[in-house]
Amino acid sequence: MLNPYSERTEWFEMLTRELPDMDIQLWPDIHNPDSVEYAVFWVHDTEDMRRYPNLRAILATTAGVEQFAGGDYPDVPIVRLADETMAGEMAAYAAHWVVHFHRKMDFYLDQQAAKVWRPTRATATGDFPVGILGFGSIGRHIGKCLAGLGYPINAWTRTGGEEEGVTHYRGRDGLEDMVSASRAIINVLPHTPETRRLIDAGVLAHFAPGSIYISLGRGATTIESDLVSAVEQGVLSAAVLDVTETEPLPPDSPLWNHPRVRITPHTSGFTRAPTAAPLIAANIRRIERGEAPFPVYDPRQGY
Ligand code: GLV
């Protein structure tokens, strides 16, 4: 059963091509609910899910899966989407803003408007550490990309890490140490009970003065009113938000027209059928062969 959020025809065609022996039924035209073994969607009505007694797995079309938290979904594995192409797009987005602020692009745009030719030295790349909050497949991809450009990489996770060439931090103390040791912070944390509203005034107070905050994971991890205060007080010199507490960002949000805040509408990376459908099909084939799909959502961890 397939209920894609967008690109309905493309998803249908891609999955049909990838799984030629399977009867792909595009919701709501489910002609034989008893035959449904796999459900592919972002969000779907939990009541409707009860119509499929032979369901074996749910395959999410998103990397983040907080939509399943506490939901009354059938007791089958929920498989997340780990799409390197999407991670690459997110890395390009993050790198764009790191370079933009590190290399003072706003300053040069203002100079161009005034026809001024006056170079100013930027901090050496090696002296501009970038901190990544959340170091799963997306965070690691971003880290690799920025390390490739010469930025020192700090990473904060729940459990620490061992990636070579990366300075790892964990736990609450680690969070404060990591943000104070970085010039730009990139937030790709999943939304879990532990990360919800994690970036608050207390954490922001530890950011290095004048640092940059780039949020492209989940808006619920950041308290926006605290973020605005941190920008006003100059703790942060700029904030870039691709995700917000409420999406779409409400028209009365002060974030919209703050001169040092940049907003994009949850577009740092896209789920695209041509790369995502083969990954989902590969997981379905794994289950068919009796192997474990991956990565599987763990409700206790929240991702
Ligand atoms: C998009 O936000 C995703 O989680 O895939």
Side-chain angles (χ1 to χ4, degrees), residues 61-64 86 217-218 266 271:
T61 58
T62 51
M86 184 210 274
R218 285 295 182 259
H266 204 133
T271 295

Side-chain angles (χ1 to χ4, degrees), residues 100-291:
H100 179 94
F101 290 110
H102 165 220
R103 302 290 296 276
K104 305 179 192 297
M105 291 303 163
D106 282 348
F107 173 82
Y108 289 118
L109 288 171
D110 288 348
Q111 283 204 161
Q112 181 179 350
K115 300 186 179 169
V116 172
W117 180 285
R118 188 170 44 214
T120 173
R121 284 177 85 82
T123 309
T125 307
D127 294 333
F128 199 91
V130 177
I132 303 176
L133 295 168
F135 212 58
S137 57
I138 294 171
R140 285 200 301 273
H141 203 113
I142 294 173
K144 232 175 252 157
C145 171
L146 283 161
L149 297 177
Y151 291 96
I153 302 299
N154 298 324
W156 182 80
T157 46
R158 215 163 45 90
T159 51
E162 289 171 355
E163 192 107 341
E164 233 178 280
V166 172
T167 309
H168 290 277
Y169 296 81
R170 56 181 289 198
R172 175 70 197 197
D173 291 350
L175 177 58
E176 293 172 0
D177 292 347
M178 191 277 235
V179 297
S180 69
S182 306
R183 299 286 299 270
I185 297 292
I186 298 168
N187 179 347
V188 283
L189 289 167
H191 176 189
T192 72
E194 275 175 74
T195 63
R196 191 177 152 69
R197 297 167 76 76
L198 180 71
I199 307 305
D200 60 6
V203 175
L204 287 160
H206 289 273
F207 275 50
S211 50
I212 317 296
Y213 182 65
I214 304 164
S215 183
L216 56 151
R218 285 295 182 259
T221 61
T222 304
I223 300 184
E224 281 163 12
S225 50
D226 290 359
L227 185 72
V228 170
S229 306
V231 176
E232 310 258 87
Q233 290 156 13
V235 175
L236 296 179
S237 63
V240 178
L241 303 181
D242 185 52
V243 290
T244 52
E245 282 178 306
T246 304
E247 293 179 11
L249 184 64
D252 61 354
S253 168
L255 293 167
W256 275 119
N257 38 23
H258 197 290
R260 280 181 283 132
V261 174
R262 303 299 169 87
I263 303 290
T264 53
H266 204 133
T267 49
S268 70
F270 295 93
T271 295
R272 298 179 194 272
T275 54
L279 294 167
I280 287 173
N283 268 325
I284 291 177
R285 284 194 292 263
R286 267 182 207 109
I287 299 170
E288 291 283 300
R289 289 195 299 266
E291 295 168 18

